[in-house]
Amino acid sequence: MNHERIHFRQQAELLVLPFYVWYMLEYVIRLLQYKDRYKAYKNISFEREAYTHEKDLDYLKKRSFWRFIYFLN
């Protein structure tokens, strides 16, 4: 549930539609990079942030704006 709340915040920051465009574009880039669908999905910056912090129920209270950028590497 917290994982999805993190995604909701990401979507709100990017005004929803750009979130999905970025998500799909990054997925395609990761797919070319890893040549594996699951690895591509797991390495999308939005997913990396959400999976990393899904157990921290206070994360959204202390999360900085556009924090997913830190997970782009």
Side-chain angles (χ1 to χ4, degrees), residues 1-48:
M1 187 68 141
N2 198 43
H3 180 101
E4 296 308 322
R5 285 187 184 119
I6 294 168
H7 283 320
F8 184 73
R9 177 73 58 86
Q10 294 164 341
Q11 291 169 16
E13 290 173 349
L14 290 171
L15 306 175
V16 183
L17 184 59
F19 169 84
Y20 288 105
V21 170
W22 185 326
Y23 192 102
M24 292 309 298
L25 182 60
E26 190 174 346
Y27 175 75
V28 169
I29 291 167
R30 300 296 182 188
L31 190 55
L32 292 170
Q33 180 182 8
Y34 293 106
K35 296 172 181 39
D36 179 281
R37 284 185 238 159
Y38 183 71
K39 278 186 177 178
Y41 159 74
K42 291 292 269 188
N43 282 284
I44 295 170
S45 58
F46 301 115
E47 295 299 340
R48 290 179 65 207

Side-chain angles (χ1 to χ4, degrees), residues 27-73:
Y27 175 75
V28 169
I29 291 167
R30 300 296 182 188
L31 190 55
L32 292 170
Q33 180 182 8
Y34 293 106
K35 296 172 181 39
D36 179 281
R37 284 185 238 159
Y38 183 71
K39 278 186 177 178
Y41 159 74
K42 291 292 269 188
N43 282 284
I44 295 170
S45 58
F46 301 115
E47 295 299 340
R48 290 179 65 207
E49 179 187 17
Y51 278 113
T52 299
H53 298 287
E54 67 186 359
K55 290 184 171 78
D56 181 357
L57 300 180
D58 293 323
Y59 177 67
L60 289 174
K61 293 175 186 169
K62 56 190 173 195
R63 180 185 180 268
S64 60
F65 191 74
W66 278 39
R67 182 67 183 175
F68 63 88
I69 294 292
Y70 294 95
F71 292 87
L72 273 172
N73 59 356

